[in-house]
Amino acid sequence: MARLATGALDTAMLSSILSRVRAQAAADPLSNPILLFALDLTLRMDRGEIDLDGLESIVQQLTAEAFADRADRLRNYLGETAVAANERALEDLIERKAREGGFEEFRTALARTVFGVVFTAHPTFSISLELARSLAELATGQTVEGVPLDQEGRNDRMETAARVEHRPPDELSLEVEHAWVTEALHHGHDALEGVHRTALRVARKHWPEQWTSLAPRLVTLASWVGYDQDGRTDITWTRSIAARLADKLAMIERHLRRVEALERAASGDFLAALEPLAAMLATARATVTHQIDLLAAAERDPAATAAFGRAMVSGRSHALVETAPMLILFEAALHAAPDDERREAIAVMRASLKTHGLALAHIHVRLNASQLHNAARRLVGLETEPNDPANRRSYFTTINDLLGRVRPVAISFESLMAERASAKRLMMTVAQIVKYIDAETPIRFLIAETKTGFTLLTALYYARMFGVDDRIQISPLFETEDAFERGERVIEEALKSPHYRAYLNRQGRMAVQFGFSDSGRFIGQMAATFRIERLRLRIAQLLERHGLSKLEVILFNTHGESIGRGGHPSTLADRLRYAAPPNSRAEFERRGVRVKEEVSFQGGDGYLHFLTPAAATASIRQILGFAFDVSDETGNDPIYAAPDYSAEFFATVQQEFSNLVDDPDYAALLNLFGANLLYRTGSRPVAREVEEWGRPSKIEHPSQLRAIPNNAILQQLGFMAITLHGVGRAISKDPELFQAMRERSARFGRSVQMVAAALDRSELDVLRAYVNTLNPAMWLNGAGRARRPARTKALRELARITGQLDQHDRLARLVRRLQADQLWLLDAIEPAETVQRRRLILLHGIRIAVIQRICLLAMEIPNFSPQFGVTRDDLLARILELDVPSAVERLRRIFPHEERAAATPTILARNPNTGPIPHCRTRSSTTPCSIRC
């Protein structure tokens, strides 16, 4: 039971305390209001006015309030959320298209895919699926079933939010992620079918004799979930095949449900036309279900792989590997339909089949360029890196010659199982998908860290070897400073190969991927968006220069859901225009190059945009509004009329942030608590394993971290440096021109909105308070003022341990560096003092107080001789860096409960990567505190 004294702390009183200490700090520039706030809480805990369970109740209340605010933000982000209003807006968009020309022009325009929605499995599954559904329902005023949400329903969802933990699911496997994305994909298909239905109705109004021949294909849905092997060894070929079979089964069942619904009300010729279609789909469902069962058996026992392989071969004709048999039956049903309503229903299914083939989504597989290089090492005689100036030309010539000689080879599931080279194994997996699951839908082959044309040719070589060069879209991923500098030259180098040029011409398209997340964390998010836009423009010029303007270009903008990873915080419309600036889109149009823009929606946070029918419809409405309006904002934007200013501004940001990244003190900041403040938010591992326990492993450079934890650590420390740092220095060079551009340029102003949003969520005093956890002087000063001998002893011991760690001075130096730039920034942009900002600072203050409590409790660990290679100081170092779960596990081994119960410290915890986050108690309780330490 939470213990609060009469008139004790609640959120109002906490806010009052924060106001008081802020006023106190304003008069004393040497004090820190966050530390004063944490000290106040600590003293109240000492006096028994509040315990950790009481703080947990306050945290839960603040979390529920933040949850409600997040629902409001999502509502504003999506724009209009009423389904009927969005359907009318979509009808207006399509009606305008119909009036631009005759039926053939309209049919051609709608048969062209203009946008791609890509769902990735990045680890942003920050809350449970139940809470995510509630969040989307509160935002859109509609349940996941499409029923309007009344006040009672809103209250129920808020009561749940106030009661449950806001954290990822305990079991967060690839299969859980796949089930999650499947739900989002179904809502996406519902929204797209609504678009197709609207297009057919508009066509029927204008061309009543021709409308049934219309097959809209405006937007594609794609998925990475189960196919992304960059940096992952847990996604085996069996798991990728299983994901593709599951995607296929979901789509077969979707079509079957609709055909059966039509059958129930059909008769005569129409019923006769539907029956073979239903029978074909039912047979396909049974066949694919059997294949999935056999694959599951093969995963458990590799000896069962042969049986699975035989089922894939024998079931090929029944499993619907090509769309032609279904399309023939759709045409027959369309001609037999007795009225326009049922003709429309068939035409909508046909459009879906032509857009997505025989599965719920297109798929993107991904690997790293190094995996391709390793596979080709002996083949090419690759003794150095492919971009080695001394050997680059010979490597390129060799792979180009091999491309002219390579012939397709036969493979089987057994040979796939035996292949050890990951790049070859992935291409073989693609080949088996094309051969036995879906022979027609193109598969994107994304290559991370592409630095040379050699890499693209190597991918094409293996595609030819395994007979899928006509089915895969090879795409370089550009996301580093070097890639932005010479990305178009990588493509140009590949174009020197007649084989690669012929491949592009046969495909009729070229795919390129841009990464906002990794680029942002190495050169700053503001610089990244500028460099990506410049690269887009140079690619447009490259295609014109090489006479390839007839190619369609797929520009895949991969960004995260957070500000630091390129997710614009204002609206979905801004998100789309930030990733694909209208001016760069207009440059492609001016050169006659057709462009399909694609944008990622990453993990659970990204799926929110498609987690109810209303959210999906709102998202598709915004997407088509963006895709149809290429000229939007392209007229007279002053930032493009001042190239010298924009180039110098973003170059300054890049220089300042790149220097920060290379500062060893910055790595020390990321090491302060490492990933110990983070939940495990996906099936992908968040930390590298080390062989010895001892002292915590340290990164020496941010490149040793993944992008998501890099960004998340900074968020949890209260300072979004990836978006902020360097901007102050850039502004200081010409503050007046900065303000003018911010006000008058849509492109520049949208970028500055990112900075302002990051500033609203950052507080340097919070960061400084976290850093002071390792400040020996702070603990020693406390020891000098403590009245109880036990507390004095604990504080002196903390001063000793933090002195041994010797981290504070370099961290304080880093904070000063950040502050120097922020002072310039604050001259131009002030953070908005909102309820949300105040709540966030309160939560940081509570957490810092709890961290300090953990540090004090750790000093109660008795001295012991080294055990299992671990000393007491090793344990204390772990605890001070908040690796509490592993420290407690070691303590349990050193002090077994049955032998030394009295000596066991009262810190209780569970691993944040396998269960609930670290917990702590100052007394026994049946309910552990869930304050996020």
Side-chain angles (χ1 to χ4, degrees), residues 520-536:
R521 76 190 183 106
F522 289 127
I523 66 174
Q525 187 55 234
M526 283 284 279
T529 179
F530 173 77
R531 297 299 298 275
I532 289 171
E533 182 176 11
R534 299 305 302 168
L535 179 55
R536 286 167 61 102

Side-chain angles (χ1 to χ4, degrees), residues 56-57 83 137 282 339 353 434 533 577 596 606 798 881 896 926:
E56 180 185 17
S57 297
V83 173
E137 289 172 336
D339 53 43
L353 185 66
V434 169
E533 182 176 11
R577 287 161 179 80
K596 176 190 178 186
L798 273 168
E881 297 178 8
T926 57

Side-chain angles (χ1 to χ4, degrees), residues 219-540:
V219 177
T220 57
L221 305 175
S223 173
W224 282 20
V225 186
Y227 311 107
D228 176 15
Q229 296 188 14
D230 179 25
R232 295 188 67 161
T233 58
D234 59 316
I235 299 183
T236 60
W237 71 266
T238 56
R239 297 185 87 177
S240 293
I241 294 284
R244 195 55 179 158
L245 285 171
D247 291 339
K248 180 175 183 177
L249 180 61
M251 194 53 137
I252 289 171
E253 291 178 336
R254 185 181 179 88
H255 284 309
L256 183 56
R257 285 193 299 272
R258 280 154 175 72
V259 172
E260 288 176 340
L262 288 171
E263 268 190 312
R264 286 192 289 271
S267 61
D269 292 345
F270 188 48
L271 178 60
L274 291 175
E275 285 173 342
L277 183 56
M280 179 182 287
L281 288 166
T283 300
R285 179 179 62 182
T287 303
V288 175
T289 299
H290 180 58
Q291 291 170 342
I292 290 172
D293 291 341
L294 289 175
L295 180 57
E299 286 188 286
R300 293 189 298 269
D301 179 8
T305 302
F308 165 70
R310 288 192 295 271
M312 295 298 289
V313 174
S314 64
R316 190 180 188 280
S317 59
H318 295 304
L320 294 178
V321 177
E322 288 95 12
T323 59
M326 278 186 67
L327 287 172
I328 291 170
L329 294 179
F330 274 141
E331 293 301 326
L334 191 65
H335 286 99
D339 53 43
D340 283 348
E341 181 182 349
R342 279 170 277 202
R343 278 190 281 272
E344 179 188 285
I346 296 296
V348 167
M349 283 191 284
R350 181 185 62 186
S352 180
L353 185 66
K354 287 190 173 183
T355 305
H356 291 97
L358 292 152
L360 206 58
H362 292 208
I363 61 171
H364 290 191
V365 300
R366 185 173 71 147
L367 45 56
N368 194 279
S370 62
Q371 293 171 269
L372 279 166
H373 302 161
N374 289 336
R377 199 164 295 280
R378 286 189 178 183
L379 184 74
V380 179
L382 199 64
E383 297 179 353
T384 59
E385 288 300 308
N387 58 353
D388 173 21
N391 296 288
R392 184 177 189 135
R393 182 174 297 179
S394 61
Y395 292 152
F396 183 89
T397 301
T398 301
I399 193 66
N400 186 55
D401 291 343
L402 288 168
L403 266 170
R405 300 196 302 268
V406 66
R407 296 294 179 269
V409 299
I411 63 169
S412 66
F413 286 102
E414 285 77 11
S415 60
L416 175 55
M417 184 169 60
E419 179 57 55
R420 298 185 65 184
S422 60
K424 291 176 66 177
R425 190 169 58 243
L426 180 58
M427 196 69 80
M428 292 165 75
T429 301
V430 168
Q432 296 300 78
I433 288 173
V434 169
K435 193 185 303 181
Y436 296 115
I437 301 176
D438 184 346
E440 297 172 359
T441 308
I443 295 175
R444 191 74 50 79
F445 197 89
L446 303 169
I447 309 170
E449 298 188 40
T450 302
K451 299 177 182 177
T452 68
F454 171 89
T455 304
L456 301 177
L457 266 58
T458 302
L460 181 57
Y461 172 83
Y462 285 117
R464 282 192 177 181
M465 174 181 284
F466 298 118
V468 291
D469 52 311
D470 61 338
R471 285 291 173 266
I472 69 164
Q473 300 168 342
I474 298 168
S475 172
L477 166 55
F478 299 130
E479 58 181 344
T480 64
E481 182 177 357
D482 180 65
F484 294 157
E485 186 66 35
R486 57 183 317 278
E488 81 283 3
R489 281 178 276 170
V490 170
I491 297 171
E492 191 165 34
E493 182 181 27
L495 287 172
K496 293 177 181 177
S497 165
H499 305 293
Y500 188 75
R501 184 184 283 265
Y503 156 77
L504 290 179
N505 284 322
R506 283 196 309 274
Q507 291 255 331
R509 63 184 56 85
M510 179 181 76
V512 181
Q513 181 185 4
F514 307 106
F516 286 75
S517 184
D518 261 324
S519 59
R521 76 190 183 106
F522 289 127
I523 66 174
Q525 187 55 234
M526 283 284 279
T529 179
F530 173 77
R531 297 299 298 275
I532 289 171
E533 182 176 11
R534 299 305 302 168
L535 179 55
R536 286 167 61 102
L537 294 172
R538 295 201 306 274
I539 289 173

